[in-house]
């Protein structure tokens, strides 16, 4: 009976950053295999973590971490594109109420994970995952000649390095007859495993494509609302007759760009209250001295 692998703890931000940097380097140099890294690339990433941080993980553990961060990135992009400019890039946090977190969490289980622990290294994640999640799968299709990502951890591939040519010895004549039946049996099992994982991953890819399509539609809707919102604010501002170059005019423009909530307040204000609001809000945001 095989021993159960010890659970790996990814608690070091430096280890996570080194992991993402190494993955990005390997994707740049060797490309991808499906939505993930090639077999040889996982070896390079593992060696870097071991040599630079004394952090020892196997290929399956690195793949699990890669997939976990990628799914958090998809959720992070969805929340970042919501109306109201909820995301603060300086603190890498979202300004959401408890009710909003709960509502979003019902739609996506990774929302709660993102609430408890912000996305690690957003810039690196964007460079590593953006091209993959926007298409659902990178450089792969039913007619593709490269292996599907689900095949990475099949029994046939686990111990092989796909970036280098494998060296094989000519079989001994005495071994041919005994090994032939085992070879055919292994091929049959491998085909069944690949067919099952192929169907499962096609469904997973389909879900990713649907999610991305929803995100794009929502983003387009929000952009249109924002444009209408800004136009209405500018129309009301012009009626104030403050003129360009007036500190009140410039401060109002800065407040419009600060958040959707400020634009909504401006549109609801009576004309007589606009000037005092601009001054007070400007001081709060250090835009008006």
């Amino acid at each position: 009976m095989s021993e159960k692998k010890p659970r790996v703890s990814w608690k070091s931000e430096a280890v996570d950053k080194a992991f993402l940097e190494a993955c990005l380097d390997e994707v740049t140099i060797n490309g991808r295999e499906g939505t993930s890294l090639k077999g040889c690339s996982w070896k390079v990433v593992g060696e870097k973590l071991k040599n630079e941080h004394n952090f020892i993980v196997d290929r399956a553990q690195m793949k699990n971490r890669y997939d976990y961060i990628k799914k958090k990135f998809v959720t992070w992009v969805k929340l970042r594109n919501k109306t109201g400019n909820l995301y603060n890039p300086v603190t890498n946090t979202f300004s959401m109420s408890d009710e909003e977190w709960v509502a979003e969490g019902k739609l996506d289980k990774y929302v709660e994970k993102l609430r408890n622990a912000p996305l690690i290294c957003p810039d690196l994640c964007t460079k590593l995952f953006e091209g993959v999640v926007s298409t659902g799968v990178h450089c792969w299709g039913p007619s593709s000649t490269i292996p599907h990502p689900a095949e990475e951890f099949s029994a046939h591939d686990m111990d092989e390095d796909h970036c280098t040519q494998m060296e094989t010895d000519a079989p001994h004549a005495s071994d041919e007859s005994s090994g032939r039946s085992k070879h055919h049996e292994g091929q049959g099992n491998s085909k069944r495993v690949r067919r099952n994982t192929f169907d499962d991953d096609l469904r997973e890819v389909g879900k990713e494509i649907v999610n991305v399509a929803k995100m794009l539609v929502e983003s387009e809707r929000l952009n249109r609302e924002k444009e209408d919102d800004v136009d209405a604010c500018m129309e009301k501002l012009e009626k104030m007759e403050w003129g360009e170059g007036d500190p009140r005019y410039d401060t109002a423009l800065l407040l419009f760009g600060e958040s959707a909530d400020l634009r909504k307040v401006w549109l609801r204000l009576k004309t007589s209250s606009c000037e005092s609001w601009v001054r007070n809000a400007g001081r709060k945001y250090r835009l008006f001295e």
Side-chain angles (χ1 to χ4, degrees):
M1 182 176 179
S2 60
E3 295 183 2
K4 187 177 180 180
K5 293 182 179 179
R7 187 177 181 86
V8 176
S9 178
W10 297 78
K11 293 184 178 180
S12 171
E13 183 175 344
V15 171
D16 265 328
K17 182 178 180 182
F19 174 68
L20 292 172
E21 288 175 340
C23 289
L24 185 59
D25 288 343
E26 286 303 306
V27 167
T28 302
I29 297 172
N30 294 315
R32 302 179 190 270
E33 187 169 283
T35 59
S36 187
L37 275 62
K38 293 185 177 180
C40 64
S41 292
W42 287 122
K43 290 184 178 181
V44 173
V45 174
E47 285 297 318
K48 180 175 182 179
L49 295 179
K50 178 181 178 181
N51 296 334
E52 296 184 6
H53 298 276
N54 195 30
F55 189 75
I56 302 174
V57 283
D58 61 25
R59 176 175 172 175
Q61 291 165 332
M62 288 186 289
K63 178 65 165 56
N64 288 340
R65 186 62 175 176
Y66 178 94
D67 289 340
Y68 173 77
I69 297 176
K70 183 176 69 173
K71 290 175 181 178
K72 281 188 69 173
F73 172 75
V74 172
T75 301
W76 177 83
V77 170
K78 181 182 70 173
L79 293 181
R80 187 191 60 183
N81 290 338
K82 286 181 66 65
T83 186
N85 294 327
L86 300 174
Y87 179 66
N88 185 333
V90 177
T91 60
N92 189 25
T93 57
F94 291 92
S95 301
M96 293 168 58
S97 65
D98 291 339
E99 292 77 10
E100 289 173 320
W101 280 112
V102 172
E104 291 294 335
K106 291 179 180 179
L107 303 175
D108 184 345
K109 66 179 182 180
Y110 281 89
V111 167
E112 188 64 23
K113 299 180 186 296
L114 200 61
R115 181 184 185 182
N116 296 330
L119 180 70
I120 189 75
C121 303
D123 291 341
L124 283 175
C125 288
T126 300
K127 293 176 182 178
L128 182 60
F129 299 124
E130 190 170 48
V132 177
V133 299
S134 64
T135 57
V137 64
H138 181 81
C139 297
W140 183 88
S143 62
S144 178
T145 57
I146 63 174
H148 190 275
E151 298 174 11
E152 285 188 353
F153 293 99
S154 67
H156 174 72
D157 294 331
M158 180 61 76
D159 297 325
E160 303 297 339
D161 187 341
H162 297 291
C163 293
T164 58
Q165 183 177 358
M166 294 182 294
E167 296 181 0
T168 57
D169 296 327
H172 295 289
S174 59
D175 296 334
E176 286 187 8
S177 59
S178 61
R180 194 169 294 149
S181 61
K182 294 181 180 179
H183 174 71
H184 289 302
E185 181 181 351
Q187 279 188 328
N189 291 335
S190 178
K191 288 180 179 179
R192 284 193 293 273
V193 170
R194 295 188 181 192
R195 183 166 56 250
N196 292 336
T197 55
F198 174 84
D199 294 338
D200 291 340
D201 281 270
L202 272 184
R203 285 191 288 270
E204 185 65 26
V205 168
K207 291 179 181 178
E208 287 193 19
I209 293 175
V210 171
N211 289 336
V212 171
K214 290 180 179 178
M215 289 167 53
L216 292 175
V217 171
E218 179 67 10
S219 177
E220 180 63 24
R221 183 184 67 81
L222 296 178
N223 287 336
R224 287 197 301 270
E225 289 182 357
K226 183 176 180 180
E227 290 176 359
D228 295 340
D229 199 17
V230 172
D231 289 341
C233 287
M234 291 302 300
E235 183 178 351
K236 184 173 181 178
L237 178 60
E238 294 300 331
K239 292 179 180 179
M240 298 301 298
E241 298 182 351
W242 289 339
E244 296 183 11
D246 189 309
R248 295 169 297 179
Y249 185 93
D250 296 338
T251 302
L253 291 180
L254 291 172
L255 291 171
F256 297 163
E258 186 69 20
S259 75
D261 290 336
L262 292 176
R263 293 194 296 273
K264 291 177 182 178
V265 172
W266 168 261
L267 292 174
R268 293 175 183 176
L269 284 174
K270 294 181 179 179
T271 303
S272 59
S273 302
C274 287
E275 181 173 355
S276 60
W277 179 82
V278 167
R279 291 180 180 275
N280 292 332
R283 290 190 186 98
K284 179 180 178 181
Y285 288 90
R286 297 182 180 180
L287 301 174
F288 196 102
E289 299 298 337

